[in-house]
Amino acid sequence: QVHLTVSGGGSVQSGGSLSLSCSASKSDHFSFRMGWFRQIPGNRREGVASIDDYGATDYAESVKGRFTISQDNAETTVWLQMDNLKPEDTAMYYCGLSRGYARRPLSATEYDYWGQGIQVTVSS
Protein backbone atom coordinates (compact mmCIF):
# COMPACT_ATOMS: atom_id res chain seq x y z
CA GLN A 1 0.00 0.00 0.00
CA VAL A 2 1.32 3.46 -0.94
CA HIS A 3 0.05 6.83 0.17
CA LEU A 4 1.35 10.12 -1.22
CA THR A 5 0.83 13.43 0.58
CA VAL A 6 1.44 16.64 -1.31
CA SER A 7 1.97 20.14 0.06
CA GLY A 8 3.11 23.52 -1.18
CA GLY A 9 1.93 25.31 -4.28
CA GLY A 10 -0.04 28.54 -4.28
CA SER A 11 0.03 31.74 -6.30
CA VAL A 12 2.95 33.86 -7.43
CA GLN A 13 3.76 36.48 -10.00
CA SER A 14 5.73 35.71 -13.12
CA GLY A 15 9.42 35.28 -12.31
CA GLY A 16 8.70 34.13 -8.78
CA SER A 17 9.36 30.81 -7.07
CA LEU A 18 7.30 28.11 -5.42
CA SER A 19 8.08 24.68 -4.06
CA LEU A 20 6.13 21.45 -3.78
CA SER A 21 6.78 18.45 -1.57
CA CYS A 22 5.50 14.90 -1.75
CA SER A 23 5.86 12.46 1.12
CA ALA A 24 5.47 8.77 0.38
CA SER A 25 4.47 6.12 2.86
CA LYS A 26 4.96 2.50 1.74
CA SER A 27 4.05 -0.68 3.54
CA ASP A 28 6.89 -2.64 1.95
CA HIS A 29 10.27 -2.01 0.34
CA PHE A 30 10.61 -1.89 -3.45
CA SER A 31 12.50 0.00 -6.11
CA PHE A 32 10.57 3.00 -7.38
CA ARG A 33 10.63 6.32 -9.19
CA MET A 34 8.74 9.45 -8.24
CA GLY A 35 7.60 12.18 -10.54
CA TRP A 36 5.81 15.49 -10.75
CA PHE A 37 3.13 16.04 -13.32
CA ARG A 38 0.78 18.85 -14.17
CA GLN A 39 -2.58 19.11 -15.82
CA ILE A 40 -4.88 21.85 -17.04
CA PRO A 41 -8.56 21.18 -17.76
CA GLY A 42 -9.08 19.44 -21.09
CA ASN A 43 -5.45 18.38 -21.42
CA ARG A 44 -3.70 15.16 -20.52
CA ARG A 45 -1.39 14.94 -17.53
CA GLU A 46 2.06 16.20 -18.53
CA GLY A 47 5.32 14.98 -17.02
CA VAL A 48 7.41 17.75 -15.48
CA ALA A 49 10.25 16.05 -13.59
CA SER A 50 11.13 12.60 -12.32
CA ILE A 51 13.72 11.05 -10.01
CA ASP A 52 14.57 7.42 -9.35
CA ASP A 53 15.87 5.86 -6.16
CA TYR A 54 19.46 6.29 -7.41
CA GLY A 55 18.89 10.02 -7.82
CA ALA A 56 18.82 10.03 -11.63
CA THR A 57 16.55 12.80 -12.90
CA ASP A 58 14.55 13.63 -16.01
CA TYR A 59 12.96 16.96 -16.91
CA ALA A 60 10.53 18.20 -19.49
CA GLU A 61 12.20 20.57 -21.94
CA SER A 62 9.84 23.37 -20.92
CA VAL A 63 11.13 23.40 -17.33
CA LYS A 64 14.82 22.58 -17.73
CA GLY A 65 16.97 25.16 -15.97
CA ARG A 66 14.00 26.46 -13.96
CA PHE A 67 12.71 23.46 -11.98
CA THR A 68 14.73 21.16 -9.74
CA ILE A 69 13.58 17.81 -8.39
CA SER A 70 15.28 16.36 -5.33
CA GLN A 71 14.70 13.72 -2.68
CA ASP A 72 15.78 13.01 0.86
CA ASN A 73 18.24 10.22 1.71
CA ALA A 74 15.47 7.99 2.93
CA GLU A 75 13.76 8.49 -0.45
CA THR A 76 10.49 9.14 1.28
CA THR A 77 10.10 12.81 0.35
CA VAL A 78 10.50 14.44 -3.04
CA TRP A 79 10.59 18.17 -3.63
CA LEU A 80 10.06 20.25 -6.72
CA GLN A 81 11.66 23.68 -6.58
CA MET A 82 10.16 25.92 -9.24
CA ASP A 83 12.04 29.11 -10.09
CA ASN A 84 11.47 31.77 -12.72
CA LEU A 85 7.86 30.69 -12.99
CA LYS A 86 5.87 31.64 -16.07
CA PRO A 87 2.10 31.98 -16.58
CA GLU A 88 2.18 28.84 -18.73
CA ASP A 89 3.30 26.89 -15.63
CA THR A 90 -0.17 27.44 -14.17
CA ALA A 91 -1.78 24.04 -13.62
CA MET A 92 -2.83 21.45 -11.08
CA TYR A 93 0.32 19.60 -10.04
CA TYR A 94 0.38 15.92 -9.05
CA CYS A 95 2.96 13.67 -7.46
CA GLY A 96 3.19 10.12 -8.77
CA LEU A 97 5.07 6.94 -7.82
CA SER A 98 6.08 4.24 -10.27
CA ARG A 99 7.04 0.79 -9.00
CA GLY A 100 10.22 -0.62 -10.53
CA TYR A 101 11.76 0.60 -13.78
CA ALA A 102 9.90 3.25 -15.79
CA ARG A 103 10.74 3.01 -19.50
CA ARG A 104 9.27 6.47 -20.04
CA PRO A 105 9.90 8.42 -16.81
CA LEU A 106 7.74 11.39 -17.81
CA SER A 107 4.76 9.39 -19.01
CA ALA A 108 1.81 9.34 -16.61
CA THR A 109 0.89 5.83 -17.76
CA GLU A 110 4.08 4.51 -16.10
CA TYR A 111 2.91 5.59 -12.64
CA ASP A 112 0.92 3.44 -10.26
CA TYR A 113 0.03 5.77 -7.40
CA TRP A 114 -0.95 9.42 -7.22
CA GLY A 115 -1.19 12.08 -4.57
CA GLN A 116 -3.88 14.71 -4.44
CA GLY A 117 -3.55 17.59 -6.88
CA ILE A 118 -2.29 20.97 -5.75
CA GLN A 119 -2.82 24.22 -7.60
CA VAL A 120 0.01 26.39 -8.87
CA THR A 121 -1.02 29.75 -10.34
CA VAL A 122 1.41 32.16 -11.96
CA SER A 123 0.10 35.59 -12.89
CA SER A 124 1.68 37.86 -15.47
Side-chain angles (χ1 to χ4, degrees), residues 31-54:
S31 179
F32 64 94
R33 167 180 291 273
M34 292 183 73
W36 288 100
F37 292 76
R38 63 189 181 188
Q39 190 172 23
I40 59 175
N43 285 25
R44 66 179 183 178
R45 198 164 291 187
E46 171 194 28
V48 174
S50 174
I51 188 166
D52 69 13
D53 48 7
Y54 292 102

mmCIF file of all heavy atoms in Angstrom, residues 31-54:
data_model
loop_
_atom_site.group_PDB
_atom_site.id
_atom_site.type_symbol
_atom_site.label_atom_id
_atom_site.label_comp_id
_atom_site.label_asym_id
_atom_site.label_seq_id
_atom_site.Cartn_x
_atom_site.Cartn_y
_atom_site.Cartn_z
ATOM 1 N N SER A 31 11.873 -1.026 -5.298
ATOM 2 C CA SER A 31 12.499 0.000 -6.109
ATOM 3 C C SER A 31 11.410 0.843 -6.763
ATOM 4 O O SER A 31 10.388 0.304 -7.223
ATOM 5 C CB SER A 31 13.375 -0.650 -7.177
ATOM 6 O OG SER A 31 13.977 0.326 -7.997
ATOM 7 N N PHE A 32 11.618 2.153 -6.816
ATOM 8 C CA PHE A 32 10.572 3.004 -7.381
ATOM 9 C C PHE A 32 11.159 4.289 -7.931
ATOM 10 O O PHE A 32 12.307 4.633 -7.695
ATOM 11 C CB PHE A 32 9.514 3.319 -6.315
ATOM 12 C CG PHE A 32 10.025 4.129 -5.159
ATOM 13 C CD1 PHE A 32 9.908 5.514 -5.158
ATOM 14 C CD2 PHE A 32 10.630 3.525 -4.077
ATOM 15 C CE1 PHE A 32 10.385 6.264 -4.102
ATOM 16 C CE2 PHE A 32 11.111 4.268 -3.015
ATOM 17 C CZ PHE A 32 10.987 5.647 -3.019
ATOM 18 N N ARG A 33 10.333 4.988 -8.654
ATOM 19 C CA ARG A 33 10.628 6.318 -9.187
ATOM 20 C C ARG A 33 9.481 7.224 -8.796
ATOM 21 O O ARG A 33 8.322 6.792 -8.753
ATOM 22 C CB ARG A 33 10.763 6.240 -10.703
ATOM 23 C CG ARG A 33 10.760 7.565 -11.432
ATOM 24 C CD ARG A 33 10.894 7.350 -12.928
ATOM 25 N NE ARG A 33 12.214 6.863 -13.295
ATOM 26 C CZ ARG A 33 13.251 7.661 -13.536
ATOM 27 N NH1 ARG A 33 13.117 8.965 -13.438
ATOM 28 N NH2 ARG A 33 14.420 7.155 -13.891
ATOM 29 N N MET A 34 9.795 8.483 -8.534
ATOM 30 C CA MET A 34 8.737 9.452 -8.240
ATOM 31 C C MET A 34 8.799 10.582 -9.240
ATOM 32 O O MET A 34 9.877 10.932 -9.736
ATOM 33 C CB MET A 34 8.869 9.975 -6.813
ATOM 34 C CG MET A 34 8.581 8.893 -5.781
ATOM 35 S SD MET A 34 8.631 9.480 -4.092
ATOM 36 C CE MET A 34 7.113 10.434 -4.027
ATOM 37 N N GLY A 35 7.654 11.130 -9.538
ATOM 38 C CA GLY A 35 7.602 12.178 -10.545
ATOM 39 C C GLY A 35 6.573 13.239 -10.220
ATOM 40 O O GLY A 35 5.639 13.014 -9.450
ATOM 41 N N TRP A 36 6.768 14.390 -10.825
ATOM 42 C CA TRP A 36 5.810 15.492 -10.751
ATOM 43 C C TRP A 36 5.186 15.682 -12.128
ATOM 44 O O TRP A 36 5.901 15.683 -13.138
ATOM 45 C CB TRP A 36 6.489 16.780 -10.311
ATOM 46 C CG TRP A 36 6.878 16.790 -8.870
ATOM 47 C CD1 TRP A 36 8.100 16.551 -8.343
ATOM 48 C CD2 TRP A 36 6.012 17.037 -7.765
ATOM 49 N NE1 TRP A 36 8.068 16.636 -6.980
ATOM 50 C CE2 TRP A 36 6.779 16.932 -6.596
ATOM 51 C CE3 TRP A 36 4.649 17.341 -7.642
ATOM 52 C CZ2 TRP A 36 6.254 17.126 -5.319
ATOM 53 C CZ3 TRP A 36 4.124 17.527 -6.379
ATOM 54 C CH2 TRP A 36 4.924 17.419 -5.235
ATOM 55 N N PHE A 37 3.882 15.846 -12.100
ATOM 56 C CA PHE A 37 3.127 16.041 -13.325
ATOM 57 C C PHE A 37 2.223 17.247 -13.149
ATOM 58 O O PHE A 37 1.975 17.695 -12.037
ATOM 59 C CB PHE A 37 2.278 14.789 -13.614
ATOM 60 C CG PHE A 37 3.098 13.589 -13.965
ATOM 61 C CD1 PHE A 37 3.769 12.882 -12.985
ATOM 62 C CD2 PHE A 37 3.193 13.163 -15.272
ATOM 63 C CE1 PHE A 37 4.539 11.769 -13.302
ATOM 64 C CE2 PHE A 37 3.950 12.048 -15.609
ATOM 65 C CZ PHE A 37 4.623 11.359 -14.622
ATOM 66 N N ARG A 38 1.734 17.765 -14.256
ATOM 67 C CA ARG A 38 0.782 18.854 -14.172
ATOM 68 C C ARG A 38 -0.297 18.674 -15.226
ATOM 69 O O ARG A 38 -0.090 18.020 -16.251
ATOM 70 C CB ARG A 38 1.482 20.201 -14.320
ATOM 71 C CG ARG A 38 2.162 20.445 -15.656
ATOM 72 C CD ARG A 38 2.996 21.711 -15.593
ATOM 73 N NE ARG A 38 3.653 22.005 -16.854
ATOM 74 C CZ ARG A 38 4.557 22.958 -17.014
ATOM 75 N NH1 ARG A 38 4.911 23.723 -15.981
ATOM 76 N NH2 ARG A 38 5.110 23.169 -18.204
ATOM 77 N N GLN A 39 -1.428 19.280 -14.934
ATOM 78 C CA GLN A 39 -2.577 19.108 -15.824
ATOM 79 C C GLN A 39 -3.451 20.345 -15.765
ATOM 80 O O GLN A 39 -3.723 20.881 -14.693
ATOM 81 C CB GLN A 39 -3.373 17.869 -15.403
ATOM 82 C CG GLN A 39 -4.445 17.446 -16.365
ATOM 83 C CD GLN A 39 -5.042 16.107 -15.979
ATOM 84 O OE1 GLN A 39 -4.988 15.675 -14.826
ATOM 85 N NE2 GLN A 39 -5.621 15.416 -16.943
ATOM 86 N N ILE A 40 -3.882 20.794 -16.946
ATOM 87 C CA ILE A 40 -4.880 21.848 -17.036
ATOM 88 C C ILE A 40 -6.137 21.230 -17.616
ATOM 89 O O ILE A 40 -6.059 20.226 -18.342
ATOM 90 C CB ILE A 40 -4.379 23.044 -17.863
ATOM 91 C CG1 ILE A 40 -4.019 22.630 -19.284
ATOM 92 C CG2 ILE A 40 -3.194 23.704 -17.175
ATOM 93 C CD1 ILE A 40 -3.625 23.803 -20.168
ATOM 94 N N PRO A 41 -7.299 21.777 -17.301
ATOM 95 C CA PRO A 41 -8.558 21.177 -17.764
ATOM 96 C C PRO A 41 -8.572 20.963 -19.274
ATOM 97 O O PRO A 41 -8.200 21.852 -20.040
ATOM 98 C CB PRO A 41 -9.610 22.198 -17.332
ATOM 99 C CG PRO A 41 -9.004 22.874 -16.150
ATOM 100 C CD PRO A 41 -7.536 22.953 -16.447
ATOM 101 N N GLY A 42 -8.978 19.760 -19.673
ATOM 102 C CA GLY A 42 -9.083 19.440 -21.089
ATOM 103 C C GLY A 42 -7.813 18.872 -21.693
ATOM 104 O O GLY A 42 -7.821 18.435 -22.848
ATOM 105 N N ASN A 43 -6.722 18.902 -20.924
ATOM 106 C CA ASN A 43 -5.450 18.384 -21.423
ATOM 107 C C ASN A 43 -5.062 17.130 -20.647
ATOM 108 O O ASN A 43 -5.525 16.894 -19.542
ATOM 109 C CB ASN A 43 -4.348 19.433 -21.278
ATOM 110 C CG ASN A 43 -4.458 20.529 -22.308
ATOM 111 O OD1 ASN A 43 -5.539 20.799 -22.834
ATOM 112 N ND2 ASN A 43 -3.347 21.170 -22.584
ATOM 113 N N ARG A 44 -4.183 16.345 -21.225
ATOM 114 C CA ARG A 44 -3.702 15.160 -20.517
ATOM 115 C C ARG A 44 -2.642 15.578 -19.503
ATOM 116 O O ARG A 44 -2.091 16.666 -19.578
ATOM 117 C CB ARG A 44 -3.146 14.135 -21.495
ATOM 118 C CG ARG A 44 -1.891 14.570 -22.234
ATOM 119 C CD ARG A 44 -1.413 13.470 -23.159
ATOM 120 N NE ARG A 44 -0.172 13.813 -23.844
ATOM 121 C CZ ARG A 44 0.469 13.006 -24.678
ATOM 122 N NH1 ARG A 44 -0.037 11.819 -24.949
ATOM 123 N NH2 ARG A 44 1.590 13.397 -25.244
ATOM 124 N N ARG A 45 -2.383 14.682 -18.558
ATOM 125 C CA ARG A 45 -1.390 14.940 -17.528
ATOM 126 C C ARG A 45 0.015 14.922 -18.151
ATOM 127 O O ARG A 45 0.411 13.950 -18.805
ATOM 128 C CB ARG A 45 -1.525 13.883 -16.431
ATOM 129 C CG ARG A 45 -0.872 14.248 -15.132
ATOM 130 C CD ARG A 45 -1.369 13.378 -14.005
ATOM 131 N NE ARG A 45 -2.760 13.652 -13.667
ATOM 132 C CZ ARG A 45 -3.390 13.131 -12.631
ATOM 133 N NH1 ARG A 45 -2.754 12.294 -11.823
ATOM 134 N NH2 ARG A 45 -4.652 13.430 -12.376
ATOM 135 N N GLU A 46 0.758 15.990 -17.903
ATOM 136 C CA GLU A 46 2.063 16.199 -18.533
ATOM 137 C C GLU A 46 3.181 15.975 -17.519
ATOM 138 O O GLU A 46 3.128 16.534 -16.415
ATOM 139 C CB GLU A 46 2.125 17.639 -19.074
ATOM 140 C CG GLU A 46 3.479 18.078 -19.556
ATOM 141 C CD GLU A 46 3.572 19.588 -19.754
ATOM 142 O OE1 GLU A 46 2.836 20.334 -19.066
ATOM 143 O OE2 GLU A 46 4.372 20.024 -20.590
ATOM 144 N N GLY A 47 4.176 15.202 -17.893
ATOM 145 C CA GLY A 47 5.317 14.977 -17.018
ATOM 146 C C GLY A 47 6.194 16.212 -16.931
ATOM 147 O O GLY A 47 6.501 16.833 -17.951
ATOM 148 N N VAL A 48 6.587 16.572 -15.715
ATOM 149 C CA VAL A 48 7.410 17.753 -15.475
ATOM 150 C C VAL A 48 8.827 17.346 -15.090
ATOM 151 O O VAL A 48 9.805 17.819 -15.658
ATOM 152 C CB VAL A 48 6.777 18.623 -14.373
ATOM 153 C CG1 VAL A 48 7.688 19.774 -14.004
ATOM 154 C CG2 VAL A 48 5.417 19.129 -14.805
ATOM 155 N N ALA A 49 8.934 16.486 -14.083
ATOM 156 C CA ALA A 49 10.250 16.049 -13.591
ATOM 157 C C ALA A 49 10.089 14.710 -12.902
ATOM 158 O O ALA A 49 9.027 14.394 -12.365
ATOM 159 C CB ALA A 49 10.838 17.077 -12.635
ATOM 160 N N SER A 50 11.168 13.934 -12.897
ATOM 161 C CA SER A 50 11.131 12.601 -12.321
ATOM 162 C C SER A 50 12.486 12.285 -11.709
ATOM 163 O O SER A 50 13.522 12.771 -12.184
ATOM 164 C CB SER A 50 10.780 11.593 -13.416
ATOM 165 O OG SER A 50 10.876 10.281 -12.940
ATOM 166 N N ILE A 51 12.474 11.453 -10.655
ATOM 167 C CA ILE A 51 13.720 11.047 -10.015
ATOM 168 C C ILE A 51 13.585 9.602 -9.575
ATOM 169 O O ILE A 51 12.534 9.201 -9.050
ATOM 170 C CB ILE A 51 14.051 11.982 -8.827
ATOM 171 C CG1 ILE A 51 15.442 11.690 -8.267
ATOM 172 C CG2 ILE A 51 12.995 11.905 -7.737
ATOM 173 C CD1 ILE A 51 15.948 12.792 -7.321
ATOM 174 N N ASP A 52 14.644 8.811 -9.788
ATOM 175 C CA ASP A 52 14.568 7.421 -9.350
ATOM 176 C C ASP A 52 15.284 7.257 -8.015
ATOM 177 O O ASP A 52 15.828 8.220 -7.467
ATOM 178 C CB ASP A 52 15.100 6.463 -10.417
ATOM 179 C CG ASP A 52 16.611 6.572 -10.639
ATOM 180 O OD1 ASP A 52 17.313 7.205 -9.812
ATOM 181 O OD2 ASP A 52 17.083 6.025 -11.634
ATOM 182 N N ASP A 53 15.306 6.025 -7.496
ATOM 183 C CA ASP A 53 15.873 5.855 -6.161
ATOM 184 C C ASP A 53 17.400 5.842 -6.161
ATOM 185 O O ASP A 53 18.015 5.675 -5.105
ATOM 186 C CB ASP A 53 15.294 4.617 -5.466
ATOM 187 C CG ASP A 53 15.300 3.392 -6.341
ATOM 188 O OD1 ASP A 53 15.871 3.437 -7.440
ATOM 189 O OD2 ASP A 53 14.708 2.376 -5.925
ATOM 190 N N TYR A 54 18.022 6.045 -7.349
ATOM 191 C CA TYR A 54 19.461 6.285 -7.413
ATOM 192 C C TYR A 54 19.766 7.776 -7.550
ATOM 193 O O TYR A 54 20.930 8.169 -7.594
ATOM 194 C CB TYR A 54 20.073 5.542 -8.605
ATOM 195 C CG TYR A 54 20.037 4.046 -8.434
ATOM 196 C CD1 TYR A 54 19.083 3.271 -9.084
ATOM 197 C CD2 TYR A 54 20.960 3.396 -7.614
ATOM 198 C CE1 TYR A 54 19.056 1.894 -8.929
ATOM 199 C CE2 TYR A 54 20.939 2.023 -7.452
ATOM 200 C CZ TYR A 54 19.980 1.283 -8.116
ATOM 201 O OH TYR A 54 19.946 -0.087 -7.959
#
